[in-house]
Amino acid sequence: MLGTMAEPAGEEAVSKTGELCHVCGQSHLSPDNHLYNFQDEVDDELVCHICLQPLLQPMDTPCGHTYCFKCLENFMQEYSFCPMDRKKLSFQHCRKSSLLVRNLLDKLTVLCPFQEDCTQTMQRCELEAHLQNRCPGFRKYRAQLESKKNPRSRLKRDSLPRLEANPVKEPEVVNGLSTLAAGSSIAAVVSLETAEPGLVNPAFDGSEEDLPQRASLLAETSVIEIHRDDPEEDLGMRIVGGKDTPLGNIVIQEVLRGSAVGADGRIAPGDHILEVNGVNISSVTHGQAISLLRQPCAGLHLLVLQEKGFSTRPGQPDSSPTINQEVIHVTLVKRDQSEPLGIKLIRKSDEPGIFILDLLDGGLASKNGRLRRNDKVLSINGQDLRQGTPETAAQIIQSSEARVNFVVLRQSGMQLPDSAEDGGTSSGSSGSSSNGGSPVLHRRRPEQNHYRRRSSYQKALPQGYLSQEKVVTIKKEPKESLGITIGGGRDSRHRLPVYVTSVQPVGCLFRDGRIKKGDVLLSINNIDLTHLNYSQAISALKSNAALHTVVLKALEIIVPEESLESPEIPESRESGFGWASWTPLWVRWLGLPSHLHFCQDIVLHKSNSESWGFSIVGGFEESKGSQPFFIKTIVPGTPAFWDGRLRCGDEIVAVNGMSAVGMSNAELIPMLKEQRNKVALTVVSWPGSLV
């Protein structure tokens, strides 16, 4: 049974570039279902009655019918009834099919689409890994595709391909990719250089003297689909950037564990978002990007740019840290068959098999202590899972009576350069790289102390930002509440000042109207709040709220209108008690006066042959005045990446103790290049906007 589908009316049956899908190896429009060549006839009960093909991501309707997720989603955009019995239907009331049905579909036998070069058959769930890692036909296709895209690669390897940047005021390699990426239904691997003027980029210094073994920076664009059972659910990532900031593009700062994006496993910090559901966001403001990413929808299509690190020239040794592997046997004993182990398992887009995403606190596996995050599961109770799925592993675990025997593969023994100068210690800990979640090892050092930015680091606010102090005096009854909730505190992760998360309609401050959500609290009755942790600030507010007169000093940060999203969408989606976790947008923190910043010293080490591994944007320009320097990119496999403390969107305040405030690109570049083996960066980090 051949997996062909009817051609959509008015559309081409292939993507604009005619490239083959990297998941199924066939040509189709990127929003459409994958296509498969099935070895045998498939039971009609497992066929979608919209596309008439075996079900993909099956969804059950309340009336008892089952369709492909994409087929039903597209159908429901035009109609409000079930295609089979025409009963009234809402997509939100549909649910994923049972694990049993999904496993039956995953196990259907398919033929490799490259029959001329590969005659293998496999389960449907194994085809993507087969294409990426073992199929000679797909390997040949990719080589031909790369050759067409980059004819110069057939010349000397030292003759590097150069990607033209769009003629914008601040050249940026991502913009040069957006045209290619938008029309591509598969991941496009490109080679990047950054010799464009105006881009401060110490990560990509490619001089023969300094970086003899580096050839070019590789990046990849991929279409990633995120599915949510609840269309209102947060994606679970923090973003920075926008055309209204020096970063320009929208960059992912953090992926939250246990979220929809985190469970998918393909998106990582440092990825650039180019499109959201077909809308180009490579040149939109921060607020516009927030609005697009927060739109409720069950299926979200993201086009992302993911940097893969530097390629290595032939004949030159790879300078990446050495990673050893060890096989570990772990036995967990359940008290009864239904007891959960407390393990979250995922698949990864770039590597076959199952990996441990997380160990739940208090769970059996966490208490045992021998399994770790990013361990690759080779087998459970003797059943080979090297090409398995998380669903299969869950079935084996659930059917186990008492003993569950794991065999896992662990990355360990990473060899790192000595760092005795700053007293650091190296220990392997799991993380995610920007290639979509493959296991990596970060160099960990003891937490550096945070401290107030010295007066020599003070700076003017970015263009368009204002901060206004206000003093609010309230006469009140002793038992009357102030009626505010707060967040932040110097013990919070980002060492934020105390800020107002809500003004409740039951308190005296709501009646007064001058204190607003997002205001930074400076003092109450002359008690300084700016250096307190969260619990200390709560105590200070409560004790002074009992007085007849309360004098509050607060700071209101005024952000340029274009930097905020449309007024009908709040800065952080709230429902129920959402105010308890409300946080301001990332752009709001850019207007915080420098005397309220808490900075961190980060010392990086490298050899002469390495780059530091980060790119920065910003600095003084005649047209824009003095702007902060921000970290835009952290390249996999470089000192900044292995250190693990720098994040996209961090502001660089000083280099080796010398203030960067007011410097231009031309002044900062030589300062960074002069640091051959060690550099101390003073940075301030703000939490990205949550979507």
Side-chain angles (χ1 to χ4, degrees):
M1 176 178 175
L2 293 178
T4 56
M5 294 181 68
E7 188 172 316
E11 293 190 43
E12 300 177 11
V14 296
S15 62
K16 293 179 183 178
T17 58
E19 296 175 0
L20 301 182
C21 173
H22 70 289
V23 174
C24 66
Q26 303 206 37
S27 181
H28 62 82
L29 288 169
S30 57
D32 289 346
N33 273 338
H34 299 301
L35 305 176
Y36 298 94
N37 298 333
F38 293 90
Q39 185 179 45
D40 305 307
E41 288 292 328
V42 177
D43 191 299
D44 190 57
E45 296 294 325
L46 298 177
V47 170
C48 170
H49 288 279
I50 296 178
C51 67
L52 302 181
Q53 300 302 312
L55 291 155
L56 280 170
Q57 296 175 302
M59 299 285 288
D60 294 336
T61 67
C63 53
H65 298 102
T66 305
Y67 305 98
C68 301
F69 177 92
K70 286 185 178 179
C71 294
L72 187 60
E73 183 184 38
N74 293 336
F75 184 87
M76 296 304 297
Q77 288 177 359
E78 297 185 29
Y79 307 101
S80 58
F81 54 81
C82 173
M84 291 290 288
D85 56 20
R86 304 183 74 83
K87 290 183 179 178
K88 188 175 180 181
L89 180 63
S90 168
F91 189 77
Q92 294 180 354
H93 295 151
C94 300
R95 292 291 178 263
K96 283 183 182 178
S97 297
S98 69
L99 181 63
L100 176 62
V101 171
R102 300 201 303 270
N103 284 340
L104 286 173
L105 289 162
D106 275 343
K107 290 180 180 179
L108 292 175
T109 303
V110 299
L111 308 175
C112 176
F114 294 88
Q115 286 292 295
E116 290 185 6
D117 301 292
C118 179
T119 58
Q120 288 194 33
T121 61
M122 65 222 70
Q123 294 181 1
R124 187 175 72 177
C125 63
E126 298 173 342
L127 179 60
E128 181 181 3
H130 166 77
L131 294 175
Q132 297 299 319
N133 301 299
R134 297 179 294 277
C135 179
F138 193 62
R139 193 180 304 122
K140 184 165 81 173
Y141 162 76
R142 282 193 297 193
Q144 293 171 346
L145 184 66
E146 183 66 22
S147 178
K148 288 178 183 177
K149 285 183 180 180
N150 182 18
R152 294 182 64 185
S153 65
R154 293 193 294 264
L155 303 175
K156 289 184 180 180
R157 291 295 292 270
D158 289 338
S159 179
L160 300 178
R162 187 174 296 276
L163 189 66
E164 289 188 11
N166 287 343
V168 294
K169 191 165 188 179
E170 181 180 79
E172 179 53 55
V173 293
V174 176
N175 292 340
L177 284 173
S178 58
T179 304
L180 164 71
S184 175
S185 64
I186 69 168
V189 178
V190 296
S191 179
L192 307 180
E193 285 187 319
T194 54
E196 298 94 331
L199 182 64
V200 184
N201 219 341
F204 309 139
D205 179 13
S207 69
E208 292 296 322
E209 177 185 356
D210 291 346
L211 304 176
Q213 77 270 29
R214 299 298 189 191
S216 56
L217 179 67
L218 299 179
E220 179 178 289
T221 56
S222 304
V223 176
I224 295 176
E225 303 166 28
I226 304 295
H227 298 285
R228 296 178 284 190
D229 292 336
D230 178 5
E232 298 279 349
E233 177 190 1
D234 283 336
L235 292 171
M237 58 184 181
R238 294 188 180 275
I239 65 166
V240 297
K243 77 171 186 180
D244 50 327
T245 74
L247 286 173
N249 298 105
I250 300 299
V251 185
I252 295 171
Q253 182 195 64
E254 180 182 6
V255 174
L256 304 184
R257 191 181 304 158
S259 64
V261 170
D264 179 82
R266 289 175 290 174
I267 291 177
D271 292 353
H272 291 226
I273 304 177
L274 305 181
E275 287 185 8
V276 178
N277 286 339
V279 178
N280 188 332
I281 67 166
S282 60
S283 58
V284 302
T285 66
H286 188 82
Q288 290 169 334
I290 294 288
S291 297
L292 287 167
L293 287 164
R294 285 185 181 167
Q295 286 181 348
C297 59
L300 191 74
H301 301 266
L302 299 177
L303 182 67
V304 300
L305 176 77
Q306 300 176 315
E307 290 183 345
K308 300 296 185 180
F310 290 106
S311 65
T312 303
R313 292 181 182 170
Q316 294 289 347
D318 189 355
S319 63
S320 301
T322 302
I323 298 177
N324 299 322
Q325 296 180 328
E326 59 177 323
V327 175
I328 297 171
H329 296 258
V330 178
T331 298
L332 302 179
V333 180
K334 299 192 290 184
R335 285 171 290 189
D336 57 71
Q337 188 169 348
S338 62
E339 182 182 9
L341 301 183
I343 301 174
K344 288 186 179 181
L345 300 172
I346 60 165
R347 294 179 65 187
K348 295 184 177 179
S349 60
D350 60 339
E351 188 174 352
I354 311 166
F355 295 84
I356 295 177
L357 173 67
D358 198 10
L359 303 175
L360 303 182
D361 291 340
L364 193 59
S366 178
K367 290 178 180 176
N368 177 272
R370 297 195 61 206
L371 292 175
R372 296 181 188 172
R373 294 173 190 155
N374 271 331
D375 282 353
K376 180 175 182 178
V377 180
L378 302 180
S379 72
I380 299 177
N381 288 351
Q383 297 192 42
D384 188 353
L385 292 172
R386 287 175 294 178
Q387 302 294 330
T389 65
E391 291 81 9
T392 304
Q395 282 186 328
I396 298 171
I397 293 170
Q398 289 166 7
S399 62
S400 302
E401 293 189 0
R403 300 173 67 85
V404 185
N405 300 304
F406 285 83
V407 179
V408 299
L409 184 68
R410 180 171 300 161
Q411 312 282 7
S412 63
M414 184 174 63
Q415 299 172 7
L416 291 165
D418 293 335
S419 55
E421 288 186 49
D422 71 340
T425 59
S426 300
S427 62
S429 63
S430 303
S432 294
S433 73
S434 64
N435 64 5
S438 61
V440 299
L441 296 173
H442 291 289
R443 185 191 316 182
R444 295 291 186 192
R445 296 195 183 94
E447 277 294 316
Q448 300 288 329
N449 291 327
H450 288 68
Y451 54 89
R452 283 186 187 274
R453 182 194 305 230
R454 287 175 258 162
S455 58
S456 61
Y457 295 159
Q458 290 195 5
K459 58 166 191 177
L461 293 179
Q463 195 172 40
Y465 285 82
L466 293 172
S467 60
Q468 296 178 343
E469 283 193 13
K470 50 190 175 185
V471 178
V472 176
T473 303
I474 300 288
K475 301 289 186 181
K476 57 181 284 298
E477 294 297 324
K479 293 184 179 180
E480 189 178 10
S481 167
L482 292 177
I484 59 172
T485 59
I486 63 169
R490 295 308 188 182
D491 56 343
S492 64
R493 180 179 172 189
H494 294 89
R495 309 303 197 267
L496 300 173
V498 174
Y499 60 90
V500 177
T501 59
S502 73
V503 182
Q504 302 294 309
V506 295
C508 58
L509 290 177
F510 178 82
R511 185 177 65 249
D512 180 85
R514 285 177 288 175
I515 295 294
K516 302 174 184 177
K517 184 168 69 173
D519 284 354
V520 175
L521 297 181
L522 304 178
S523 68
I524 181 168
N525 291 344
N526 293 321
I527 297 174
D528 186 4
L529 300 175
T530 61
H531 67 283
L532 301 184
N533 62 35
Y534 178 80
S535 59
Q536 290 169 338
I538 290 286
S539 298
L541 289 169
K542 281 185 176 180
S543 60
N544 284 273
L547 303 176
H548 284 283
T549 303
V550 174
V551 180
L552 266 176
K553 183 184 286 188
L555 185 77
E556 182 179 357
I557 300 171
I558 301 173
V559 180
E561 283 188 17
E562 66 173 5
S563 297
L564 293 176
E565 50 192 317
S566 53
E568 66 271 13
I569 302 178
E571 287 197 70
S572 183
R573 198 157 42 222
E574 297 178 23
S575 59
F577 294 103
W579 47 263
S581 58
W582 181 89
T583 56
L585 292 181
W586 175 75
V587 289
R588 190 176 290 276
W589 294 117
L590 304 186
L592 191 71
S594 54
H595 70 273
L596 292 174
H597 291 186
F598 264 47
C599 301
Q600 180 184 17
D601 271 343
I602 295 177
V603 179
L604 301 179
H605 297 264
K606 74 176 184 68
S607 64
N608 288 337
S609 61
E610 290 181 295
S611 76
W612 290 117
F614 61 89
S615 66
I616 57 180
V617 290
F620 178 81
E621 294 180 28
E622 289 290 344
S623 59
K624 299 178 181 178
S626 182
Q627 296 189 96
F629 285 105
F630 290 102
I631 292 178
K632 182 166 188 174
T633 304
I634 297 174
V635 184
T638 60
F641 176 80
W642 294 119
D643 178 87
R645 288 176 291 171
L646 287 176
R647 301 196 307 166
C648 295
D650 284 358
E651 180 185 339
I652 294 184
V653 173
V655 176
N656 288 347
M658 182 176 294
S659 173
V661 177
M663 282 189 178
S664 66
N665 295 355
E667 292 173 305
L668 191 62
I669 291 173
M671 183 185 297
L672 287 163
K673 286 186 178 180
E674 286 170 4
Q675 317 308 315
R676 307 296 291 182
N677 302 110
K678 178 181 176 181
V679 67
L681 302 175
T682 303
V683 302
V684 61
S685 183
W686 307 121
S689 301
L690 183 63
V691 294

